[in-house]
């Protein structure tokens, strides 16, 4: 739901957020404001440890953070409003009869600036900031390698995290019908030889190349996306190496009357951060100070059932498998993870949704240790 505001109101709103605009610069631009306010509360029980205070895994599910090999501790309760977001969208007509569209969207997840002691004040972050002109998109938005429309109706931030591609980044994208071709901002994540903390290299010299094609019909849609990327790391001493990574993602949403099925399968070598919120890195350093890609595959399926005009439920399953060379990565890295969840959502009015969701998740590392998570989450969401 979007509301177009008068220019004077827009100027005031933008100024209060720290953006300066004048009536002259707005000209005949239409500006729409939308978003939602969402409050979440969750109780999490881990079989083999716990997540520390401030961990983002306590705000939403991250497969690689499920504890393994630790003691069984008491349950943890958390409540936050960090998924709340607001979005400005603009459209400016041009002299040639076309228009330039722009989007700026912010929320409060994965940011610092607050804690649970007194104020719970969190800094906003940019989610989307892009412009569209004719067939071109320039700026930050969802990576072309993912399919936003197959994400389920979930209280969790993503819902089927283990088995989907996910990310936002700066790009240049060309779209013509169902075809999309994009050059996107690169980034390489690396596992040290023998294991250890993640290395975020930032040494790439070329952008990631992604192409996708989507077929749409009354029954739903099918999308195929391909990824080709450079994995690069130079530590200024021993390692100065490049490797090629690639991936393919197949996704579909099938309409069954008011119900639907949403699914994805993705696989590749060196997908790294594109898959399962970077549960596996793109590459590992070899004994010869070279790079070797890490293979992985993931899949997800979700069924959404509409009980009535006001209520609906979804049942979801997703899984990830990583083919680590343990002689290089060590035994402490994630080998596999999966999660399943079921929910019930009720909307007494169109703009308000109340919901409850149960999640079970499990993670196993190469050493054979595993741990699971049980989580019950409730939320209230007002969309405007």
């Amino acid at each position: 739901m979007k509301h177009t505001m008068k220019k004077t109101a827009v100027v005031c709103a933008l100024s209060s957020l720290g953006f300066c605009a004048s009536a002259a610069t707005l000209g005949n631009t239409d500006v729409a404001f939308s978003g939602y306010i969402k409050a979440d509360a969750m109780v999490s029980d881990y079989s083999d440890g716990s997540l520390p205070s401030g961990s983002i895994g306590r705000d939403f599910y991250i497969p690689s953070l499920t504890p393994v090999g630790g003691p069984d501790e008491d349950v943890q309760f958390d409540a936050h409003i960090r998924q709340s977001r607001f979005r400005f969208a603009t459209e400016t007509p041009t002299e040639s009869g076309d228009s330039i569209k722009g989007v700026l969207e912010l929320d409060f997840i994965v940011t610092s600036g607050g804690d649970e002691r007194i104020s719970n004040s969190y800094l906003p972050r940019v989610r989307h900031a892009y412009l569209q002109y004719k067939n071109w998109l320039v700026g930050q938005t969802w990576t072309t390698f993912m399919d936003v429309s197959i994400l389920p109706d979930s209280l969790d931030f993503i819902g089927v995290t283990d088995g989907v591609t996910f990310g936002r980044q700066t790009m240049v994208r060309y779209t013509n019908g169902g075809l999309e071709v994009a050059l996107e901002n690169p980034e390489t994540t690396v596992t040290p030889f023998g294991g250890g903390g993640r290395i975020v290299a930032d040494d790439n010299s070329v952008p990631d190349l992604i192409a996708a094609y989507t077929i749409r019909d009354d029954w739903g849609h099918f999308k195929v996306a391909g990824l080709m990327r450079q994995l690069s790391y130079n530590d200024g001493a021993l390692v100065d190496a490049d490797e090629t990574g690639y991936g393919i993602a197949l996704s579909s949403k099938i309409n069954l009357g008011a119900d639907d099925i949403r699914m994805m399968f993705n696989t590749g070598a060196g997908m790294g951060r594109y898959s399962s919120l970077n549960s596996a890195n793109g590459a590992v350093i070899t004994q010869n100070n070279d790079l070797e890609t890490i293979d992985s595959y993931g899949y997800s399926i979700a069924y959404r059932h509409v009980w009535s005009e006001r209520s609906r439920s979804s049942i979801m399953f997703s899984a990830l498998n990583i083919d680590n060379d343990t002689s290089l990565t060590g035994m402490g890295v994630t080998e596999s993870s999966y999660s399943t969840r079921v929910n019930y959502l009720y909307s007494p009015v169109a703009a308000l949704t109340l919901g409850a969701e149960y999640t079970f998740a499990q993670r196993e590392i190469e050493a054979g240790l595993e741990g699971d998570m049980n989580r019950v989450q409730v939320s209230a969401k007002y969309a405007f």
Side-chain angles (χ1 to χ4, degrees):
M1 186 184 304
K2 297 183 178 180
H3 305 287
T4 301
M5 302 178 293
K6 295 181 179 179
K7 295 175 186 176
T8 53
V10 174
V11 173
C12 179
L14 290 172
S15 298
S16 67
L17 291 170
F19 303 101
C20 296
S22 66
T25 58
L26 286 173
N28 57 352
T29 298
D30 291 327
V31 180
F33 174 70
S34 62
Y36 62 73
I37 296 170
K38 185 170 184 273
D40 289 290
M42 59 197 74
V43 175
S44 304
D45 182 19
Y46 301 96
S47 66
D48 289 72
S50 62
L51 295 181
S53 176
S55 170
I56 58 175
R58 296 177 62 158
D59 294 332
F60 62 96
Y61 171 61
I62 297 179
S64 59
L65 294 185
T66 301
V68 299
D72 185 7
E73 300 189 15
D74 294 335
V75 299
Q76 297 176 316
F77 175 85
D78 291 284
H80 64 85
I81 49 77
R82 303 185 74 173
Q83 283 192 40
S84 301
R85 66 186 60 163
F86 48 96
R87 177 185 182 100
F88 291 97
T90 66
E91 184 169 1
T92 304
T94 66
E95 299 84 350
S96 60
D98 300 307
S99 64
I100 303 172
K101 298 179 181 179
V103 168
L104 175 64
E105 181 176 303
L106 300 94
D107 71 359
F108 307 89
I109 278 191
V110 199
T111 65
S112 59
D115 56 47
E116 298 180 22
R117 293 184 304 111
I118 300 173
S119 68
N120 288 267
S121 302
Y122 297 100
L123 298 173
R125 64 163 186 171
V126 175
R127 284 171 52 87
H128 302 275
Y130 62 88
L131 64 89
Q132 289 178 287
Y133 179 60
K134 294 185 176 179
N135 297 82
W136 296 91
L137 179 148
V138 181
Q140 176 173 302
T141 190
W142 301 114
T143 172
T144 313
F145 195 52
M146 71 176 288
D147 187 348
V148 181
S149 61
I150 62 97
L151 297 181
D153 199 1
S154 172
L155 303 190
D156 182 70
F157 188 55
I158 300 176
V160 284
T161 316
D162 308 81
V164 296
T165 56
F166 187 93
R168 288 183 299 270
Q169 57 200 16
T170 302
M171 69 187 68
V172 176
R173 180 194 293 165
Y174 174 79
T175 302
N176 190 345
L179 175 66
E180 297 173 294
V181 180
L183 296 175
E184 304 193 6
N185 187 56
E187 182 65 279
T188 300
T189 56
V190 179
T191 300
F193 175 67
R198 169 177 291 139
I199 300 169
V200 182
D202 201 21
D203 289 326
N204 300 81
S205 59
V206 295
D208 296 348
L209 172 63
I210 302 173
Y213 192 82
T214 304
I215 299 172
R216 301 185 185 277
D217 209 331
D218 292 340
W219 56 266
H221 81 271
F222 173 79
K223 177 177 178 177
V224 56
L227 163 71
M228 186 70 68
R229 62 190 301 235
Q230 177 197 58
L231 301 169
S232 183
Y233 178 47
N234 184 345
D235 67 357
L238 299 176
V239 183
D240 183 5
D242 297 311
E243 185 59 278
T244 300
Y246 63 88
I248 185 170
L250 309 173
S251 57
S252 181
K253 180 180 177 183
I254 301 172
N255 299 321
L256 305 172
D259 299 352
D260 61 66
I261 296 175
R262 312 176 192 198
M263 49 192 163
M264 167 173 277
F265 173 79
N266 63 88
T267 185
M271 288 192 297
R273 63 189 179 87
Y274 282 95
S275 174
S276 188
L277 295 184
N278 212 166
S279 291
N281 290 320
V284 58
I285 300 174
T286 69
Q287 191 171 10
N288 298 322
N289 293 318
D290 206 348
L291 292 180
E292 182 175 299
T293 59
I294 298 174
D295 299 351
S296 65
Y297 71 88
Y299 57 92
S300 71
I301 185 167
Y303 170 64
R304 179 176 180 264
H305 176 67
V306 176
W307 300 104
S308 68
E309 291 183 356
R310 296 186 177 183
S311 62
R312 59 198 184 274
S313 293
S314 291
I315 182 169
M316 303 153 249
F317 179 83
S318 64
L320 169 71
N321 284 270
I322 304 166
D323 185 14
N324 297 291
D325 183 344
T326 55
S327 66
L328 302 178
T329 64
M331 304 296 286
V333 293
T334 299
E335 177 189 19
S336 63
S337 71
Y338 74 86
S339 65
T340 184
R341 48 177 47 86
V342 61
N343 63 31
Y344 178 80
L345 285 72
Y346 175 72
S347 298
V349 294
L352 178 64
T353 299
L354 310 174
E357 183 169 288
Y358 168 72
T359 301
F360 176 82
Q362 187 177 90
R363 171 179 171 242
E364 183 175 358
I365 64 173
E366 290 287 356
L369 300 175
E370 62 181 35
D372 58 56
M373 178 194 77
N374 287 273
R375 174 173 287 172
V376 175
Q377 181 173 350
V378 296
S379 74
K381 176 181 174 181
Y382 161 53
F384 51 87

